[in-house]
Amino acid sequence: MVADDAGSVIVDAGHSPAHAREIQSAMDAAGLPAARWLVYTHHHWDHVWGACAWPDVEIIGHIAGQEILQREAARPWSHRYLRDEVRTNPLLGPSFRARALAMETWDGFTILPPQCTFTDELVLPAGVRLRHVGGAHAPDSTIVLVPDSAVALLGDCYYPPPAHLRAPDDAPDLTMVAGLVSDEYDWYVDSHSEPWTLEQARSYGA
């Protein structure tokens, strides 16, 4: 999250409503400004399934993810549905079992497509910059840049495709990493790893 007097920017929603509520509790305990914007780095479930638990926010995402999430929202999500889908396509097993573990209840759950979309770049009132980068992991992959803190939030943009779509020779896109490194940003944070310093990011993308 990016705290700002105009309202906080939440980067990705959490993997479930329960996860989102944990984040909200931590924000309240720290006395941080209420969330005003929720940015999707991409449409994958572990980044968007908590959105329905964020009240009074504007959801922002790349246009490429909007139709995907509209289709996802129309699916009859439940533990039974997850089991049935895995029986049909066993490659979905790891992802769908993780979803089942994340969701204790489906009451009130819905998938929310972005309300505000963009194509290339967008600057929020808080000064946070959104830039579409795409890539093999997701067509709507977006990085979130916070210039006044010198932090670049990368989401999963350089990751290989999701496991059920991955070929044996798929690997992280280090060329993309190299193209994102800039002297303007001292810290690089993806969604599933420890933060990197500028020096580490340059080494990783070399």
Side-chain angles (χ1 to χ4, degrees):
M1 61 158 296
V2 182
D4 187 87
D5 290 340
S8 294
V9 180
I10 306 301
V11 181
D12 289 328
H15 61 51
S16 65
H19 189 197
R21 287 189 286 270
E22 290 181 12
I23 298 168
Q24 292 160 7
S25 294
M27 290 173 63
D28 290 343
L32 298 175
R36 183 172 173 188
W37 299 276
L38 169 58
V39 175
Y40 291 160
T41 60
H42 60 298
H43 68 275
H44 290 164
W45 77 276
D46 53 324
H47 298 257
V48 305
W49 272 26
C52 60
W54 287 100
D56 305 319
V57 298
E58 181 178 19
I59 303 175
I60 303 168
H62 188 262
I63 187 67
Q66 187 176 49
E67 184 176 346
I68 296 171
L69 287 173
Q70 288 170 344
R71 293 196 301 268
E72 290 289 286
R75 298 171 74 173
W77 295 105
S78 68
H79 282 81
R80 180 175 181 177
Y81 176 73
L82 292 171
R83 289 193 298 269
D84 290 346
E85 289 294 291
V86 171
R87 290 191 188 100
T88 301
N89 182 1
L91 291 177
L92 292 172
S95 172
F96 277 30
R97 281 191 288 271
R99 301 181 201 214
L101 289 170
M103 295 294 294
E104 295 179 0
T105 177
W106 300 91
D107 293 343
F109 173 73
T110 186
I111 292 174
L112 299 178
Q115 302 152 334
C116 172
T117 60
F118 67 100
T119 53
D120 297 317
E121 294 190 2
L122 180 68
V123 180
L124 300 182
V128 174
R129 300 176 185 173
L130 314 182
R131 181 191 303 165
H132 175 246
V133 295
H137 188 72
D140 56 331
S141 278
T142 294
I143 62 172
V144 180
L145 305 171
V146 191
D148 61 359
S149 297
V151 174
L153 305 172
L154 307 182
D156 295 354
C157 69
Y158 68 95
Y159 285 25
H164 67 284
L165 300 174
R166 193 174 301 168
D169 58 347
D170 283 332
D173 188 345
L174 302 186
T175 300
M176 175 181 280
V177 173
L180 297 176
V181 174
S182 165
D183 288 340
E184 188 176 356
Y185 298 98
D186 297 330
W187 290 96
Y188 296 79
V189 186
D190 72 27
S191 295
H192 302 281
S193 305
E194 293 295 321
W196 315 328
T197 63
L198 173 60
E199 183 179 356
Q200 288 170 324
R202 282 201 175 111
S203 174
Y204 192 66

